[in-house]
Amino acid sequence: MEEGNTDEREGVARRNTRPATGSEGIWIFVLMDMIVFALIFLVFTSERVRQYEVYRESHQHLNVVFGFANTLILLTSSLFVVQAVQAARRLDARQVSSRLTAALLLGLAFCADKAVEYSVTIGSGIGIATSSFFTFYFAITFIHLAHVLAGMSFMFFFQRNRDRLASDVGYLAGLENVGVFWHFVDLLWIFIYSLLYLT
């Protein structure tokens, strides 16, 4: 019986040696999401050209430290997600759990940083109606924050269900999809950081 379980685990491990690419569905979703954000960025850039002085002055009210901290947080969390997928391919449930936990904690750190930034910004008298720049700022960053929360909920599900790793072939495929989504969220933030905080 024990030998049979070992053979089954080895079979799953062999299947898990394929490249971690994610499913077709997640790539279609990411592509559609990218198109939506690309259109938002295009409108933002058009308005920035039209109201250059307003946008330049408004941009200076943002604290680049908050944005840079969140960039580091998400980049590091993406590394942990990569390690979680690699551990899943080795059928190492303990490592999957620890790496996803680390990524989740960093996701919480991102949310906390964003909450403090919102508080400081609003506390200084700046709101969504202050200028079109801040309308875009609050809208874009809030939508991105919603993506972060969604990614964290997916990671939490796979962290809690790590014991399915050896018996459920779909577990790895699902975790790969979570990885693709989380890397997209990370890449999206890099564009947002560059567009809002650095230009």
Side-chain angles (χ1 to χ4, degrees):
M1 184 70 175
E2 190 172 318
E3 182 180 342
N5 289 338
T6 301
D7 290 341
E8 181 181 347
R9 287 176 62 85
E10 289 176 352
V12 174
R14 281 194 296 273
R15 289 195 296 272
N16 290 351
T17 58
R18 64 184 178 79
T21 57
S23 69
E24 182 179 327
I26 191 64
W27 284 109
I28 292 173
F29 173 81
V30 165
L31 177 60
M32 292 173 61
D33 219 9
M34 285 176 64
I35 291 171
V36 171
F37 272 97
L39 291 173
I40 294 172
F41 294 158
L42 184 62
V43 175
F44 173 87
T45 303
S46 175
E47 285 298 300
R48 185 176 184 274
V49 170
R50 194 172 66 86
Q51 304 180 59
Y52 178 76
E53 289 301 323
V54 172
Y55 275 55
R56 185 178 65 83
E57 194 275 333
S58 297
H59 157 266
Q60 293 173 358
H61 290 283
L62 294 183
N63 190 329
V64 71
V65 173
F66 285 118
F68 182 69
N70 270 341
T71 302
L72 291 180
I73 287 169
L74 284 185
L75 286 172
T76 307
S77 70
S78 276
L79 174 62
F80 283 121
V81 171
V82 168
Q83 292 175 344
V85 171
Q86 292 173 341
R89 294 172 73 184
R90 299 191 306 268
L91 301 179
D92 189 340
R94 186 181 64 81
Q95 287 292 314
V96 170
S97 179
S98 65
R99 296 304 184 266
L100 288 180
T101 298
L104 280 166
L105 289 174
L106 287 168
L108 287 174
F110 180 94
C111 295
D113 183 275
K114 186 54 64 182
V116 172
E117 182 183 0
Y118 282 155
S119 177
V120 169
T121 303
I122 294 171
S124 65
I126 295 171
I128 195 169
T130 299
S131 70
S132 63
F133 174 90
F134 284 107
T135 301
F136 277 111
Y137 162 76
F138 281 107
I140 291 172
T141 56
F142 185 79
I143 294 170
H144 178 265
L145 180 60
H147 280 65
V148 170
L149 292 172
M152 289 174 62
S153 68
F154 299 146
M155 284 192 286
F156 180 73
F157 173 83
F158 280 90
Q159 195 274 341
R160 289 293 301 273
N161 291 279
R162 59 194 177 275
D163 292 337
R164 297 183 185 177
L165 176 58
S167 59
D168 185 357
V169 178
Y171 182 95
L172 175 63
L175 185 58
E176 288 176 356
N177 287 340
V178 173
V180 170
F181 179 78
W182 194 251
H183 299 323
F184 166 67
V185 169
D186 188 358
L187 179 63
L188 191 58
W189 176 255
I190 292 173
F191 278 102
I192 293 170
Y193 175 62
S194 302
L195 199 63
L196 296 178
Y197 295 83
L198 301 181
T199 59

